[in-house]
Amino acid sequence: MSSPTTPLVDHIVILIPYSFLSAPPSWFSDLFHFYPGGRHSDGLTENTLVLLADGSYLEFIAFVPGVDPEKRAAHQWGKKKEGTVVDWAVTLPSSSSPSSAEEEARFLEQEKQFHEIQKRVRDANAGIVYGDLRRGGRTRPDGEVLKWAVAFPKHDDGGPVEPGTVPFWCLDVTARDLRVPYTNPGVTKHPIGAVGVAKVEVLPEKQKAVESAGGVYDTILDTEETAEIGKSWKIGSPVGEKVHSGGVIRLDASDGLARVNISFFTDDPGLVGKSVGGEVDEDHTLTFHLVAAFDGKV
């Protein structure tokens, strides 16, 4: 059972071409059951979601056609390559609340917990800190109002951190299952049997970034013993203990450009050990590795 201040995987952000939303290639549409997303309030991006049985989700996001190049370049993911994992978020253990007053009280308690984590990371002097929580939200097509708060990492001198090097935070103000309705019938049944995030492999370009990120992970997560090169930490998910054996964060220097790789737990024995995905463009493919939901080697 996770403690109140143990980070859990909230969601993974994957940048895709807009055509993957409007006319997805068959290899892409055959991977997951997609849940409707929509256009963001800034008008620059649209998304579609993949809800997972462990309570986390994938956000496949795309820049809309005709977007102003300068506005795209200024976006936090605007310079990222399509067909790559561009960022990921963690949250804190939460539960549904029956009234708005109780939801607000629950969030204020989570905000207090986040401030404790924020202070620990700052005191670790790793070179990376977390900014304060900023509230956000959106209204669903059915009129339901969703509210949340996010906090992003930055260097201690105020400079930006390469997205994905360490996670950003996403805490719910309204009940989490309104934003992530993974309990709805059938929405977490996927052709590849994906039930949760098995591994987030973070590979910064520079060794200094590896060292700074390692200081953050040492502060917020428990170390995982592994035979792999690099360092690993344990990571949970909102209801992961019900569907898989628990995820891992692995950190090491990249052999090229900075990148983040994702592996999934699958409940399909025939797909264990395989990689799935396909071609995004003539120079790049998007692939995910699959491991057994329980007793699998991540």
Side-chain angles (χ1 to χ4, degrees):
M1 224 25 212
S2 299
S3 76
T5 57
T6 299
L8 306 171
V9 174
D10 186 81
H11 69 282
I12 310 294
V13 185
I14 304 168
L15 184 65
I16 55 174
Y18 187 81
S19 61
F20 279 43
L21 298 180
S22 58
S26 59
W27 71 259
F28 182 68
S29 59
D30 289 346
L31 294 179
F32 304 105
H33 171 87
F34 294 94
Y35 191 84
R39 183 164 295 197
H40 293 102
S41 58
D42 61 10
L44 300 178
T45 56
E46 290 185 13
N47 70 4
T48 187
L49 308 180
V50 172
L51 306 177
L52 299 172
D54 70 353
S56 65
Y57 67 99
L58 314 180
E59 178 184 10
F60 285 100
I61 190 169
F63 285 93
V64 300
V67 64
D68 185 320
E70 290 187 5
K71 290 183 177 180
R72 174 167 179 163
H75 192 282
Q76 66 193 92
W77 302 317
K79 297 179 182 178
K80 290 289 191 176
K81 186 174 180 60
E82 293 176 343
T84 61
V85 177
V86 295
D87 218 336
W88 61 292
V90 292
T91 191
L92 290 171
S94 182
S95 61
S96 299
S97 300
S99 71
S100 58
E102 290 178 342
E103 286 174 349
E104 184 68 22
R106 174 183 50 76
F107 170 73
L108 291 176
E109 179 60 30
Q110 283 200 328
E111 186 177 43
K112 179 181 177 182
Q113 294 162 358
F114 170 75
H115 287 158
E116 295 174 3
I117 296 168
Q118 186 184 38
K119 182 179 185 302
R120 291 205 310 267
V121 173
R122 184 173 63 247
D123 291 347
N125 295 316
I128 294 175
V129 296
Y130 280 106
D132 293 331
L133 289 166
R134 304 197 307 262
R135 294 219 186 187
R138 65 180 173 90
T139 301
R140 295 193 323 198
D142 61 4
E144 188 75 59
V145 177
L146 312 182
K147 299 178 182 179
W148 60 75
V150 293
F152 290 92
K154 58 184 178 180
H155 290 296
D156 51 14
D157 63 3
V161 173
E162 177 72 18
T165 305
V166 296
F168 67 95
W169 290 81
C170 187
L171 305 181
D172 289 284
V173 178
T174 48
R176 189 173 190 278
D177 56 8
L178 295 179
R179 179 172 63 93
V180 195
Y182 69 94
T183 57
N184 289 1
V187 297
T188 63
K189 299 295 183 181
H190 303 292
I192 62 172
V195 296
V197 177
K199 180 193 286 184
V200 180
E201 186 178 36
V202 180
L203 301 168
E205 184 178 0
K206 298 180 179 179
Q207 184 60 36
K208 184 177 180 181
V210 175
E211 294 168 359
S212 293
V216 174
Y217 292 126
D218 280 338
T219 303
I220 66 176
L221 297 172
D222 294 329
T223 302
E224 170 79 356
E225 296 300 327
T226 175
E228 287 186 327
I229 298 174
K231 193 169 182 181
S232 298
W233 296 263
K234 300 175 184 178
I235 187 76
S237 48
V239 292
E241 67 275 5
K242 298 179 180 180
V243 294
H244 58 65
S245 54
V248 169
I249 308 301
R250 177 178 173 266
L251 176 69
D252 199 5
S254 170
D255 56 2
L257 296 176
R259 65 185 189 278
V260 178
N261 299 328
I262 301 295
S263 298
F264 294 115
F265 288 113
T266 179
D267 61 6
D268 184 339
L271 292 176
V272 170
K274 296 184 178 180
S275 293
V276 296
E279 185 178 274
V280 176
D281 56 43
E282 56 186 30
D283 298 318
H284 188 68
T285 60
L286 177 63
T287 59
F288 306 107
H289 188 64
L290 302 175
V291 301
F294 288 99
D295 299 322
K297 295 296 183 181
V298 181

